[in-house]
Short mmCIF file of all heavy atoms in Angstrom, two decimals:
data_model
loop_
_atom_site.label_atom_id
_atom_site.label_comp_id
_atom_site.label_asym_id
_atom_site.label_seq_id
_atom_site.Cartn_x
_atom_site.Cartn_y
_atom_site.Cartn_z
N THR R 792 -22.76 -6.57 30.67
CA THR R 792 -23.53 -6.38 29.45
C THR R 792 -23.55 -4.91 29.06
O THR R 792 -23.31 -4.56 27.89
CB THR R 792 -24.99 -6.86 29.66
OG1 THR R 792 -24.94 -8.16 30.26
CG2 THR R 792 -25.73 -6.92 28.35
N LEU R 793 -23.80 -4.06 30.05
CA LEU R 793 -23.85 -2.62 29.79
C LEU R 793 -22.53 -2.14 29.21
O LEU R 793 -22.48 -1.40 28.22
CB LEU R 793 -24.19 -1.88 31.09
CG LEU R 793 -24.42 -0.38 30.94
CD1 LEU R 793 -25.69 -0.13 30.13
CD2 LEU R 793 -24.52 0.29 32.30
N SER R 794 -21.45 -2.59 29.83
CA SER R 794 -20.12 -2.16 29.39
C SER R 794 -19.88 -2.55 27.93
O SER R 794 -19.49 -1.71 27.11
CB SER R 794 -19.06 -2.79 30.29
OG SER R 794 -17.80 -2.71 29.66
N LEU R 795 -20.13 -3.82 27.62
CA LEU R 795 -19.86 -4.29 26.25
C LEU R 795 -20.80 -3.61 25.25
O LEU R 795 -20.39 -3.27 24.13
CB LEU R 795 -19.99 -5.81 26.17
CG LEU R 795 -18.97 -6.59 27.03
CD1 LEU R 795 -19.11 -8.08 26.81
CD2 LEU R 795 -17.54 -6.15 26.74
N ILE R 796 -22.03 -3.37 25.67
CA ILE R 796 -22.97 -2.71 24.77
C ILE R 796 -22.54 -1.27 24.51
O ILE R 796 -22.56 -0.79 23.38
CB ILE R 796 -24.41 -2.76 25.34
CG1 ILE R 796 -24.95 -4.17 25.16
CG2 ILE R 796 -25.32 -1.75 24.64
CD1 ILE R 796 -26.36 -4.36 25.68
N LEU R 797 -22.09 -0.58 25.57
CA LEU R 797 -21.65 0.81 25.38
C LEU R 797 -20.45 0.88 24.44
O LEU R 797 -20.38 1.74 23.57
CB LEU R 797 -21.30 1.44 26.74
CG LEU R 797 -22.49 1.81 27.63
CD1 LEU R 797 -22.01 2.31 28.99
CD2 LEU R 797 -23.37 2.86 26.97
N ILE R 798 -19.49 -0.05 24.64
CA ILE R 798 -18.32 -0.06 23.76
C ILE R 798 -18.76 -0.28 22.31
O ILE R 798 -18.31 0.41 21.39
CB ILE R 798 -17.33 -1.16 24.20
CG1 ILE R 798 -16.71 -0.79 25.56
CG2 ILE R 798 -16.24 -1.37 23.16
CD1 ILE R 798 -15.88 -1.89 26.17
N THR R 799 -19.68 -1.23 22.14
CA THR R 799 -20.15 -1.53 20.78
C THR R 799 -20.89 -0.34 20.18
O THR R 799 -20.60 0.07 19.05
CB THR R 799 -21.07 -2.76 20.81
OG1 THR R 799 -20.39 -3.81 21.49
CG2 THR R 799 -21.43 -3.20 19.41
N ILE R 800 -21.81 0.23 20.95
CA ILE R 800 -22.58 1.36 20.42
C ILE R 800 -21.65 2.52 20.07
O ILE R 800 -21.78 3.14 19.01
CB ILE R 800 -23.63 1.83 21.45
CG1 ILE R 800 -24.73 0.78 21.58
CG2 ILE R 800 -24.23 3.17 21.04
CD1 ILE R 800 -25.82 1.16 22.56
N GLY R 801 -20.68 2.78 20.94
CA GLY R 801 -19.74 3.87 20.69
C GLY R 801 -19.03 3.68 19.36
O GLY R 801 -18.96 4.59 18.53
N THR R 802 -18.50 2.47 19.16
CA THR R 802 -17.75 2.22 17.92
C THR R 802 -18.65 2.26 16.70
O THR R 802 -18.28 2.82 15.66
CB THR R 802 -17.06 0.85 17.99
OG1 THR R 802 -16.56 0.65 19.30
CG2 THR R 802 -15.92 0.76 17.00
N VAL R 803 -19.84 1.67 16.83
CA VAL R 803 -20.75 1.64 15.69
C VAL R 803 -21.18 3.06 15.31
O VAL R 803 -21.15 3.45 14.13
CB VAL R 803 -21.98 0.76 16.01
CG1 VAL R 803 -23.08 0.95 14.97
CG2 VAL R 803 -21.57 -0.70 16.09
N LEU R 804 -21.53 3.82 16.32
CA LEU R 804 -21.95 5.20 16.09
C LEU R 804 -20.84 6.00 15.42
O LEU R 804 -21.06 6.73 14.45
CB LEU R 804 -22.30 5.83 17.45
CG LEU R 804 -23.25 7.01 17.47
CD1 LEU R 804 -24.59 6.62 16.90
CD2 LEU R 804 -23.41 7.52 18.91
N PHE R 805 -19.64 5.84 15.93
CA PHE R 805 -18.49 6.56 15.39
C PHE R 805 -18.28 6.18 13.93
O PHE R 805 -18.12 7.03 13.05
CB PHE R 805 -17.24 6.21 16.20
CG PHE R 805 -16.03 7.02 15.83
CD1 PHE R 805 -15.69 8.16 16.55
CD2 PHE R 805 -15.23 6.66 14.75
CE1 PHE R 805 -14.58 8.91 16.21
CE2 PHE R 805 -14.13 7.41 14.39
CZ PHE R 805 -13.80 8.54 15.12
N SER R 806 -18.28 4.87 13.66
CA SER R 806 -18.01 4.39 12.30
C SER R 806 -19.09 4.87 11.34
O SER R 806 -18.79 5.33 10.24
CB SER R 806 -17.96 2.86 12.27
OG SER R 806 -17.17 2.39 13.32
N ASN R 807 -20.34 4.76 11.76
CA ASN R 807 -21.43 5.20 10.89
C ASN R 807 -21.25 6.65 10.50
O ASN R 807 -21.38 7.02 9.35
CB ASN R 807 -22.78 5.03 11.60
CG ASN R 807 -23.18 3.58 11.71
OD1 ASN R 807 -22.50 2.70 11.18
ND2 ASN R 807 -24.27 3.32 12.39
N ASN R 808 -20.94 7.46 11.52
CA ASN R 808 -20.80 8.88 11.24
C ASN R 808 -19.57 9.18 10.38
O ASN R 808 -19.58 10.05 9.53
CB ASN R 808 -20.74 9.67 12.55
CG ASN R 808 -20.76 11.16 12.30
OD1 ASN R 808 -19.72 11.80 12.33
ND2 ASN R 808 -21.93 11.71 11.98
N ALA R 809 -18.50 8.43 10.63
CA ALA R 809 -17.26 8.71 9.91
C ALA R 809 -17.35 8.26 8.45
O ALA R 809 -16.79 8.89 7.57
CB ALA R 809 -16.09 8.01 10.59
N TYR R 810 -18.04 7.15 8.18
CA TYR R 810 -17.96 6.58 6.83
C TYR R 810 -19.26 6.62 6.05
O TYR R 810 -19.25 6.73 4.84
CB TYR R 810 -17.45 5.14 6.90
CG TYR R 810 -16.09 5.06 7.54
CD1 TYR R 810 -15.87 4.30 8.69
CD2 TYR R 810 -15.03 5.78 7.01
CE1 TYR R 810 -14.62 4.26 9.27
CE2 TYR R 810 -13.76 5.74 7.59
CZ TYR R 810 -13.58 4.98 8.73
OH TYR R 810 -12.34 4.94 9.31
N LEU R 811 -20.39 6.50 6.73
CA LEU R 811 -21.65 6.44 5.97
C LEU R 811 -22.11 7.82 5.53
O LEU R 811 -23.00 7.94 4.69
CB LEU R 811 -22.75 5.76 6.80
CG LEU R 811 -22.53 4.26 7.03
CD1 LEU R 811 -23.66 3.66 7.84
CD2 LEU R 811 -22.37 3.52 5.71
N THR R 812 -21.50 8.86 6.08
CA THR R 812 -21.91 10.20 5.69
C THR R 812 -21.11 10.70 4.48
O THR R 812 -21.35 11.80 4.01
CB THR R 812 -21.70 11.20 6.84
OG1 THR R 812 -20.34 11.11 7.26
CG2 THR R 812 -22.61 10.89 8.01
N THR R 813 -20.15 9.91 4.01
CA THR R 813 -19.36 10.35 2.85
C THR R 813 -19.46 9.32 1.73
O THR R 813 -20.04 8.26 1.91
CB THR R 813 -17.87 10.50 3.21
OG1 THR R 813 -17.36 9.21 3.55
CG2 THR R 813 -17.65 11.43 4.37
N SER R 814 -18.84 9.67 0.62
CA SER R 814 -18.88 8.78 -0.54
C SER R 814 -18.03 7.54 -0.28
O SER R 814 -17.18 7.53 0.60
CB SER R 814 -18.32 9.52 -1.75
OG SER R 814 -16.97 9.85 -1.51
N GLU R 815 -18.26 6.50 -1.09
CA GLU R 815 -17.43 5.30 -0.99
C GLU R 815 -16.07 5.60 -1.61
O GLU R 815 -15.99 6.25 -2.63
CB GLU R 815 -18.09 4.15 -1.77
CG GLU R 815 -19.40 3.71 -1.18
CD GLU R 815 -20.01 2.55 -1.96
OE1 GLU R 815 -19.31 1.96 -2.79
OE2 GLU R 815 -21.19 2.25 -1.72
N GLY R 816 -15.03 5.11 -0.98
CA GLY R 816 -13.69 5.34 -1.53
C GLY R 816 -12.65 5.27 -0.44
O GLY R 816 -12.95 4.85 0.68
N ILE R 817 -11.44 5.66 -0.77
CA ILE R 817 -10.34 5.58 0.19
C ILE R 817 -10.50 6.67 1.24
O ILE R 817 -10.71 7.84 0.92
CB ILE R 817 -8.99 5.70 -0.54
CG1 ILE R 817 -8.80 4.49 -1.46
CG2 ILE R 817 -7.83 5.82 0.44
CD1 ILE R 817 -8.88 3.15 -0.77
N LYS R 818 -10.43 6.28 2.49
CA LYS R 818 -10.69 7.22 3.59
C LYS R 818 -9.45 7.43 4.46
O LYS R 818 -9.43 7.07 5.62
CB LYS R 818 -11.84 6.68 4.47
CG LYS R 818 -13.15 6.53 3.72
CD LYS R 818 -13.69 7.88 3.27
CE LYS R 818 -14.76 7.72 2.19
NZ LYS R 818 -14.71 8.76 1.17
N ASN R 819 -8.41 7.98 3.87
CA ASN R 819 -7.20 8.20 4.64
C ASN R 819 -6.95 9.68 4.92
O ASN R 819 -5.84 10.06 5.30
CB ASN R 819 -5.99 7.59 3.93
CG ASN R 819 -5.99 6.08 4.02
OD1 ASN R 819 -6.54 5.52 4.97
ND2 ASN R 819 -5.39 5.42 3.06
N ASP R 820 -7.96 10.50 4.74
CA ASP R 820 -7.77 11.92 5.00
C ASP R 820 -7.35 12.16 6.45
O ASP R 820 -7.97 11.64 7.37
CB ASP R 820 -9.08 12.70 4.73
CG ASP R 820 -9.38 12.79 3.25
OD1 ASP R 820 -8.51 12.41 2.45
OD2 ASP R 820 -10.49 13.24 2.90
N GLY R 821 -6.28 12.92 6.60
CA GLY R 821 -5.88 13.34 7.94
C GLY R 821 -5.20 12.28 8.79
O GLY R 821 -4.95 12.51 9.98
N VAL R 822 -4.90 11.11 8.21
CA VAL R 822 -4.27 10.05 9.00
C VAL R 822 -3.00 10.55 9.69
O VAL R 822 -2.77 10.29 10.87
CB VAL R 822 -3.94 8.83 8.10
CG1 VAL R 822 -2.94 7.91 8.77
CG2 VAL R 822 -5.22 8.07 7.78
N TRP R 823 -2.21 11.33 8.94
CA TRP R 823 -0.94 11.80 9.52
C TRP R 823 -1.10 13.09 10.31
O TRP R 823 -0.12 13.68 10.76
CB TRP R 823 0.13 11.95 8.42
CG TRP R 823 0.64 10.62 7.99
CD1 TRP R 823 0.24 9.93 6.89
CD2 TRP R 823 1.59 9.79 8.66
NE1 TRP R 823 0.90 8.71 6.83
CE2 TRP R 823 1.74 8.61 7.90
CE3 TRP R 823 2.35 9.94 9.84
CZ2 TRP R 823 2.60 7.58 8.28
CZ3 TRP R 823 3.21 8.91 10.20
CH2 TRP R 823 3.33 7.75 9.43
N PHE R 824 -2.33 13.58 10.44
CA PHE R 824 -2.55 14.75 11.29
C PHE R 824 -3.14 14.33 12.62
O PHE R 824 -3.08 15.08 13.60
CB PHE R 824 -3.52 15.74 10.63
CG PHE R 824 -3.07 16.21 9.27
CD1 PHE R 824 -3.99 16.41 8.25
CD2 PHE R 824 -1.73 16.46 9.01
CE1 PHE R 824 -3.59 16.85 6.99
CE2 PHE R 824 -1.31 16.89 7.76
CZ PHE R 824 -2.24 17.09 6.75
N LYS R 825 -3.74 13.15 12.65
CA LYS R 825 -4.40 12.72 13.87
C LYS R 825 -3.38 12.21 14.87
O LYS R 825 -2.52 11.39 14.53
CB LYS R 825 -5.43 11.62 13.57
CG LYS R 825 -6.63 12.15 12.83
CD LYS R 825 -7.61 11.05 12.50
CE LYS R 825 -8.74 11.60 11.64
NZ LYS R 825 -9.05 10.73 10.51
N SER R 826 -3.50 12.67 16.07
CA SER R 826 -2.55 12.33 17.13
C SER R 826 -2.47 10.81 17.33
O SER R 826 -1.39 10.25 17.49
CB SER R 826 -3.00 13.02 18.41
OG SER R 826 -2.10 12.78 19.43
N ILE R 827 -3.61 10.14 17.27
CA ILE R 827 -3.63 8.71 17.58
C ILE R 827 -2.92 7.90 16.50
O ILE R 827 -2.27 6.90 16.79
CB ILE R 827 -5.09 8.21 17.77
CG1 ILE R 827 -5.15 6.74 18.20
CG2 ILE R 827 -5.92 8.36 16.52
CD1 ILE R 827 -4.83 6.49 19.63
N SER R 828 -3.01 8.35 15.25
CA SER R 828 -2.48 7.51 14.16
C SER R 828 -1.15 8.01 13.61
O SER R 828 -0.66 7.50 12.62
CB SER R 828 -3.52 7.41 13.04
OG SER R 828 -3.86 8.69 12.57
N SER R 829 -0.55 9.01 14.25
CA SER R 829 0.72 9.50 13.72
C SER R 829 1.77 9.61 14.84
O SER R 829 2.61 10.48 14.82
CB SER R 829 0.52 10.87 13.07
OG SER R 829 0.09 11.80 14.04
N ARG R 830 1.70 8.71 15.78
CA ARG R 830 2.63 8.69 16.90
C ARG R 830 2.60 10.01 17.65
O ARG R 830 3.63 10.51 18.10
CB ARG R 830 4.07 8.41 16.45
CG ARG R 830 4.31 6.99 16.10
CD ARG R 830 5.79 6.70 15.89
NE ARG R 830 5.96 5.62 14.96
CZ ARG R 830 6.35 5.76 13.70
NH1 ARG R 830 6.67 6.96 13.25
NH2 ARG R 830 6.45 4.72 12.92
N GLY R 831 1.43 10.61 17.76
CA GLY R 831 1.28 11.83 18.54
C GLY R 831 1.05 11.47 20.01
O GLY R 831 1.22 10.32 20.41
N LEU R 832 0.64 12.46 20.76
CA LEU R 832 0.45 12.25 22.20
C LEU R 832 -0.53 11.11 22.47
O LEU R 832 -0.26 10.21 23.27
CB LEU R 832 -0.05 13.55 22.83
CG LEU R 832 -0.12 13.53 24.35
CD1 LEU R 832 1.27 13.41 24.95
CD2 LEU R 832 -0.81 14.79 24.86
N LEU R 833 -1.68 11.13 21.78
CA LEU R 833 -2.67 10.07 22.00
C LEU R 833 -2.12 8.71 21.62
O LEU R 833 -2.39 7.71 22.27
CB LEU R 833 -3.94 10.35 21.18
CG LEU R 833 -4.84 11.48 21.67
CD1 LEU R 833 -6.05 11.62 20.76
CD2 LEU R 833 -5.29 11.22 23.10
N GLY R 834 -1.31 8.68 20.57
CA GLY R 834 -0.70 7.43 20.15
C GLY R 834 0.19 6.86 21.24
O GLY R 834 0.11 5.67 21.58
N TRP R 835 1.01 7.73 21.81
CA TRP R 835 1.90 7.27 22.88
C TRP R 835 1.12 6.83 24.11
O TRP R 835 1.44 5.82 24.74
CB TRP R 835 2.92 8.36 23.23
CG TRP R 835 4.05 8.40 22.24
CD1 TRP R 835 4.18 9.23 21.17
CD2 TRP R 835 5.19 7.53 22.21
NE1 TRP R 835 5.33 8.94 20.48
CE2 TRP R 835 5.97 7.91 21.09
CE3 TRP R 835 5.63 6.46 23.01
CZ2 TRP R 835 7.17 7.26 20.75
CZ3 TRP R 835 6.82 5.83 22.67
CH2 TRP R 835 7.58 6.22 21.56
N ILE R 836 0.08 7.61 24.45
CA ILE R 836 -0.74 7.22 25.61
C ILE R 836 -1.35 5.84 25.37
O ILE R 836 -1.29 4.95 26.23
CB ILE R 836 -1.84 8.27 25.87
CG1 ILE R 836 -1.21 9.57 26.39
CG2 ILE R 836 -2.87 7.75 26.87
CD1 ILE R 836 -2.19 10.72 26.54
N ALA R 837 -1.91 5.65 24.17
CA ALA R 837 -2.52 4.35 23.85
C ALA R 837 -1.47 3.24 23.91
O ALA R 837 -1.73 2.15 24.44
CB ALA R 837 -3.17 4.41 22.47
N GLY R 838 -0.27 3.52 23.40
CA GLY R 838 0.79 2.53 23.41
C GLY R 838 1.17 2.12 24.83
O GLY R 838 1.29 0.93 25.15
N VAL R 839 1.35 3.13 25.68
CA VAL R 839 1.73 2.84 27.07
C VAL R 839 0.61 2.08 27.77
O VAL R 839 0.85 1.08 28.48
CB VAL R 839 2.05 4.16 27.82
CG1 VAL R 839 2.21 3.91 29.31
CG2 VAL R 839 3.32 4.78 27.25
N ALA R 840 -0.64 2.50 27.55
CA ALA R 840 -1.77 1.83 28.21
C ALA R 840 -1.87 0.38 27.77
O ALA R 840 -2.02 -0.53 28.61
CB ALA R 840 -3.07 2.58 27.88
N LEU R 841 -1.75 0.13 26.48
CA LEU R 841 -1.85 -1.24 25.97
C LEU R 841 -0.70 -2.11 26.50
O LEU R 841 -0.91 -3.24 26.95
CB LEU R 841 -1.78 -1.24 24.44
CG LEU R 841 -3.10 -1.04 23.70
CD1 LEU R 841 -2.84 -0.82 22.22
CD2 LEU R 841 -4.00 -2.26 23.89
#
Side-chain angles (χ1 to χ4, degrees):
Chain R
T792 312
L793 186 67
S794 163
L795 297 184
I796 286 180
L797 286 175
I798 291 172
T799 307
I800 290 180
T802 320
V803 168
L804 203 61
F805 187 96
S806 314
N807 288 355
N808 186 260
Y810 301 121
L811 291 181
T812 54
T813 65
S814 63
E815 295 182 12
I817 295 304
K818 298 295 163 217
N819 287 333
D820 288 351
V822 163
W823 286 98
F824 303 143
K825 289 178 186 135
S826 183
I827 184 78
S828 58
S829 63
R830 284 190 209 105
L832 188 65
L833 287 180
W835 280 98
I836 290 174
V839 170
L841 274 170

